[in-house]
């Protein structure tokens, strides 16, 4: 039976494929595809894990004291029975041999299937046996983890392998961490859906950077959807259709073809200069997470990198931070890949929804607060970790010897943070000079994403060379809305008059001071805001490469001078979105 699930549309387009559920578990599970040659090895790993757990359970049973309640012995017997049940072991082997899942993924996938069968049982006692099954699965996963301790970890490339089937796949999960999303880039997945998340959560942002349809905040999606269900993800409407009828499936396949034709048409604009009808040149830059994203930025027609999110070099590393040389090589690779075009590297923005693996135990253990978005993150964390910060600054300076590099400081709130940052840069330069390592002077910019910075911008401008507006956090902090929380996602409103006034004031103040200003948040890549930002005086947009063509099309059709005459009326309105739409229609 076909059903519909609704969430938040965060990445446009249509994806059709079979569901791949990444189960939530108290035990971390690695999810990657294996080569056909590795199938026997994974099946053998599964067998060894089963034998190890059977030995554990048997030993526990033998060691029970004589006065132990008989229920304990019976419970261990149940676990042994579940462990050897063919309903668990045989299909798990099939996930490995047919889908090319690694053993851990295959086991968690089969758990999802069997767990649903328990949930549907009428007998309450039998339903409760799901907890026993979960305990057995977790023992198996721990045994597999011990078995894999000597194996090399699966890298991001593992997900690009052929999964051994012909059907397209879509990913379904309760949530996907930003670090895990990096593994899904250029993978076999054509779309994904999550239970949680908001329009500007980093899960959503990376989805847009991957240019694949996605729906987040779909609440019970991972519970309702079963492994191998056919899904349609409507990234425009925020809908997920489970097991669609043949008629609905054909309608969405037609839409897919239309979307591909439109993308091909827009792609032809990639090397056309972005100039308005009245001759205003506009700079279209790309946001990237890794050096490997640079070629896509060039292919999309970007004239530079407006935001290199350096924190993605720090994530998913088991707590080990990249040293200076590793960072330098990454920054240099991005700079060289851009062939002389400018690259703006944001210093690490760790915290909130991008915690380090080591946060819970070491330096950042105090950051597990009720609201980490208001805790020690971004420049606050960097200044609290001076040795790490100096390493990063030295790496950025060294990369500047290979091309035009700028450094962007995130979450600036006060002038003293910029003074401290400039002291760190000065010290890093002296250290490089003493070591005989080349560098060039770099521009230092402030990311305006805290209302305090926007309201006191005149005091910050003398300390920076350029300004970049991070609209995602600026909206979050202005409206007191957690942008990753789907429960309040409907209140996250980029068109709020306060937000637009702050953005307009930052652009105006920066231009008056002769400082370049760009927008690097999601607003820059949203065509609904292109004409409004042009009207405010913005001439530099930074966005995901996939969004550049659509924004360029709007710029080519815009008259910036005429738009500027409309902006004051829109900003003064109670409903700026409605007012701006009316003004555009009447121009």
């Amino acid at each position: 039976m076909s059903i519909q699930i609704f969430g938040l549309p965060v990445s446009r387009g249509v994806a059709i494929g079979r569901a791949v559920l990444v189960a939530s578990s108290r035990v971390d599970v690695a999810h990657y595809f294996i080569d056909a040659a590795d199938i026997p090895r994974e099946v053998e790993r599964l067998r060894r894990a089963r034998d190890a757990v059977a030995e554990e359970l048997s030993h526990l049973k033998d060691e029970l004291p004589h006065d132990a309640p008989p229920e304990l012995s019976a419970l261990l017997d149940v676990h042994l029975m579940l462990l050897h049940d063919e309903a668990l072991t045989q299909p798990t082997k099939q996930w490995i041999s047919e889908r090319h899942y690694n053993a851990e993924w295959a086991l968690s996938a089969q758990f999802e299937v069997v767990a649903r069968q328990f949930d549907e049982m009428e007998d309450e006692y039998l339903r409760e046996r799901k907890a026993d099954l979960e305990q057995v699965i977790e023992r198996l996963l721990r045994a597999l983890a011990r078995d894999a301790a000597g194996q090399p970890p699966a890298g991001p490339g593992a997900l690009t392998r052929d999964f051994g089937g012909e059907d397209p796949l879509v990913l379904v999960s309760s949530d996907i961490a930003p670090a895990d999303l990096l593994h899904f880039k250029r993978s076999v997945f054509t779309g994904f859906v999550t239970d949680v998340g908001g329009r500007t959560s980093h899960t959503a942002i990376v989805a847009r950077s991957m240019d694949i349809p996605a729906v987040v905040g779909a609440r019970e999606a991972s519970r309702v959807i079963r492994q191998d269900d056919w899904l349609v993800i409507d990234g425009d409407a925020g809908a997920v259709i489970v097991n669609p009828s043949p008629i609905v499936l054909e309608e969405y396949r037609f839409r897919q073809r239309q979307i591909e034709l439109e993308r091909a048409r827009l792609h032809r604009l990639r090397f056309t200069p972005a100039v308005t009808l009245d001759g205003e040149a506009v700079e279209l830059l790309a946001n990237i997470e890794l050096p490997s994203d640079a070629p896509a930025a060039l292919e999309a027609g970007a004239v530079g990198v407006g935001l290199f999110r350096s924190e993605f070099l720090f994530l998913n590393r088991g707590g080990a931070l990249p040293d200076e040389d590793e960072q330098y090589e990454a920054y240099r690779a991005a700079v060289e890949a851009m062939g002389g075009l400018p690259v703006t590297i944001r210093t690490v923005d760790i915290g909130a929804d991008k915690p380090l693996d080591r946060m819970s135990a070491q330096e950042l253990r105090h950051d597990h607060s009720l609201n980490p978005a208001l805790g020690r993150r971004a420049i606050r964390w960097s200044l609290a970790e001076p040795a790490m910060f100096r390493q990063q600054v030295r790496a950025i300076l060294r990369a500047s010897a290979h091309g035009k590099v700028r450094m962007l400081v995130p979450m600036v709130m006060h002038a003293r943070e910029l003074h401290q940052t400039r002291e760190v840069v000065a010290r890093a330069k002296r250290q490089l000079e003493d070591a005989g390592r080349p560098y060039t002077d770099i521009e230092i910019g402030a990311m305006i994403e805290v209302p305090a910075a926007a309201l006191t911008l005149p005091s910050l401008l003398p300390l920076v060379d350029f300004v970049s507006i991070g609209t995602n956090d600026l909206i979050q902090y202005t409206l007191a809305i957690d942008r990753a929380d789907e429960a309040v996602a409907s209140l996250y409103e980029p068109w709020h008059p306060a937000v637009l006034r702050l953005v307009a004031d930052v652009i105006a103040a920066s231009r008056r001071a002769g400082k370049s200003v760009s927008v690097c948040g999601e607003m820059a890549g949203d065509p609904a805001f292109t004409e409004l930002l042009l009207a405010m005086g913005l001439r530099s947009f930074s966005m995901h490469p996939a969004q550049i063509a659509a924004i360029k099309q709007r710029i080519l059709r815009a008259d910036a001078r005429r738009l500027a005459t409309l902006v004051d009326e829109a900003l003064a309105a109670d409903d700026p979105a409605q007012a701006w739409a009316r003004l555009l229609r009447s121009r």
Side-chain angles (χ1 to χ4, degrees):
M1 181 181 68
S2 177
I3 59 173
Q4 288 192 51
I5 303 168
F6 291 96
L8 301 172
V10 295
S11 187
R12 302 186 66 179
V14 172
I16 300 172
R18 288 193 178 276
V20 174
L21 267 69
V22 176
S24 300
S25 172
R26 290 191 291 270
V27 178
D28 289 336
V29 177
H31 299 84
Y32 59 91
F33 293 101
I34 61 173
D35 289 328
D38 293 329
I39 290 173
R41 185 195 70 186
E42 291 298 293
V43 172
E44 176 61 18
R45 287 185 62 226
L46 184 66
R47 185 196 64 76
R48 287 200 302 268
R50 186 187 63 184
D51 291 348
V53 172
E55 186 176 346
E56 288 174 11
L57 293 173
S58 297
H59 181 72
L60 286 171
K61 186 177 178 182
D62 293 341
E63 293 296 312
L64 285 175
H66 294 297
D67 57 350
E71 290 83 4
L72 287 179
S73 178
L75 179 63
L76 291 172
D77 285 335
V78 169
H79 283 202
L80 280 165
M81 179 187 69
L82 290 170
L83 181 66
H84 293 287
D85 191 341
E86 285 298 308
L88 176 65
T89 57
Q90 192 56 38
T92 302
K93 293 176 184 177
Q94 286 182 276
W95 290 115
I96 295 172
S97 60
E98 295 178 8
R99 276 293 180 82
H100 291 202
Y101 290 179
N102 65 304
E104 290 87 345
W105 191 354
L107 191 61
S108 61
Q110 185 56 22
F111 168 69
E112 288 291 318
V113 173
V114 179
R116 288 177 186 275
Q117 295 172 0
F118 276 100
D119 288 338
E120 292 168 358
M121 292 177 178
E122 294 184 4
D123 187 281
E124 183 179 356
Y125 173 81
L126 292 177
R127 282 201 309 272
E128 291 176 353
R129 299 286 64 78
K130 186 176 83 168
D132 295 316
L133 176 64
E134 186 173 9
Q135 292 170 15
V136 170
I137 294 294
E138 291 190 3
R139 281 186 178 275
L140 282 166
L141 289 172
R142 291 190 181 98
L144 284 167
R146 292 193 299 269
D147 184 71
Q151 300 283 345
L159 276 170
T160 64
R161 297 172 180 168
D162 179 13
F163 67 95
E166 296 180 357
D167 295 331
L169 302 179
V170 294
L171 188 68
V172 181
S173 179
S174 175
D175 193 15
I176 308 172
D180 293 333
L181 272 170
L182 289 179
H183 291 294
F184 299 137
K185 278 196 169 187
R186 306 176 190 89
S187 74
V188 298
F189 297 112
T190 61
F192 68 80
V193 54
T194 63
D195 296 345
V196 301
R199 285 186 175 88
T200 56
S201 64
H202 280 87
T203 302
I205 291 170
V206 176
R208 283 188 285 272
S209 76
M210 294 163 65
D211 197 22
I212 64 172
V215 173
V216 304
R219 301 292 181 141
E220 297 295 308
S222 66
R223 294 182 180 274
V224 173
I225 298 168
R226 300 170 184 263
Q227 292 280 2
D228 260 5
D229 277 348
W230 274 102
L231 300 183
V232 170
I233 296 179
D234 187 336
D236 298 289
V240 180
I241 304 170
V242 185
N243 294 319
S245 67
I247 294 175
V248 171
L249 198 58
E250 186 52 41
E251 287 178 358
Y252 274 102
R253 282 183 172 144
F254 175 76
R255 278 186 56 187
Q256 270 188 324
R257 293 192 291 270
Q258 296 298 109
I259 290 169
E260 288 304 315
L261 288 172
E262 175 64 13
R263 283 181 177 172
R265 188 179 65 79
L266 286 175
H267 190 64
R268 293 196 290 269
L269 297 175
R270 64 191 185 281
F271 299 128
T272 301
V275 181
T276 63
L277 292 174
D278 56 320
E280 289 284 318
V282 179
E283 184 180 53
L284 295 182
L285 306 168
N287 296 346
I288 67 173
E289 282 86 39
L290 295 171
S292 56
D293 297 333
L298 289 172
E299 174 62 20
V303 296
V305 170
L307 177 62
F308 181 159
R309 295 186 175 97
S310 67
E311 57 271 14
F312 283 88
L313 299 174
F314 289 67
L315 300 176
N316 216 25
R317 301 173 56 92
L321 300 183
D323 61 20
E324 178 184 327
D325 287 339
E326 183 180 347
Q327 290 187 64
Y328 160 65
E329 292 296 340
Y331 305 146
R332 185 184 74 169
V335 170
E336 291 180 342
M338 292 304 294
L341 296 175
V343 175
T344 301
I345 302 171
R346 182 175 69 183
T347 59
V348 61
D349 186 6
I350 287 297
D353 62 349
K354 293 176 292 183
L356 283 180
D357 297 333
R358 75 181 203 185
M359 276 185 165
S360 60
Q362 299 181 23
E363 291 87 342
L364 304 180
R365 61 184 178 275
H366 299 299
D367 275 7
H368 280 268
S369 55
L370 291 176
N371 193 337
L374 300 179
R376 188 171 64 169
R377 55 169 293 202
I379 190 58
R380 300 172 182 177
W381 182 65
S382 293
L383 292 173
E385 299 285 343
M388 180 285 303
F389 194 28
R390 285 194 300 271
Q391 273 193 346
Q392 180 169 38
V393 172
R394 286 195 301 268
I396 293 171
L397 285 168
R398 290 168 62 189
S400 71
H402 303 276
K404 184 174 175 55
V405 172
R406 306 195 303 174
M407 190 177 88
L408 180 61
V409 183
M411 206 176 172
V412 170
M413 180 187 71
H414 198 283
R416 64 171 171 265
E417 293 164 332
L418 292 172
H419 283 297
Q420 290 175 285
T421 297
R422 286 196 170 275
E423 289 172 5
V424 171
V425 173
R427 182 175 177 180
K429 287 179 177 179
R430 291 194 298 269
Q431 291 172 333
L432 292 178
E433 288 166 2
D434 292 343
R437 287 181 165 163
Y439 70 89
T440 62
D441 282 329
I442 60 174
E443 292 184 348
I444 298 174
M447 197 163 180
I448 306 302
E449 47 194 336
V450 177
L455 293 169
T456 60
L457 188 61
S459 69
L460 305 179
L461 287 171
L463 301 172
V464 298
D465 302 298
F466 67 98
V467 166
S468 186
I469 307 174
T471 53
N472 303 343
D473 274 329
L474 184 61
I475 297 166
Q476 170 175 243
Y477 295 130
T478 302
L479 303 183
I481 298 297
D482 184 347
R483 62 191 179 99
D485 185 354
E486 76 281 0
V488 292
S490 62
L491 303 177
Y492 184 92
E493 182 48 73
W495 285 99
H496 192 287
V499 171
L500 297 182
R501 174 51 61 190
L502 287 175
V503 172
D505 288 350
V506 170
I507 294 171
S510 300
R511 286 170 62 95
R512 283 195 302 270
K515 302 294 174 76
S516 63
V517 55
S518 68
V519 169
C520 63
E522 289 299 294
M523 194 180 284
D526 187 342
F529 290 95
T530 303
E531 287 89 352
L532 181 62
L533 291 172
L534 287 172
M536 291 177 178
L538 188 72
R539 297 297 181 265
S540 180
F541 296 64
S542 189
M543 68 204 75
H544 298 296
Q547 298 165 321
I548 289 177
I551 300 303
K552 183 180 289 187
Q553 183 183 58
R554 301 293 286 255
I555 290 169
L556 294 173
R557 297 173 176 176
D559 185 324
R561 288 195 188 93
R562 184 175 298 178
L563 290 170
T565 64
L566 309 176
V567 68
D568 288 341
E569 184 177 346
L571 293 180
D574 292 334
D575 187 343
Q578 189 177 65
W580 186 246
R582 175 178 53 78
L583 289 166
L584 288 181
R585 287 194 302 269
S586 62
R587 62 175 173 160

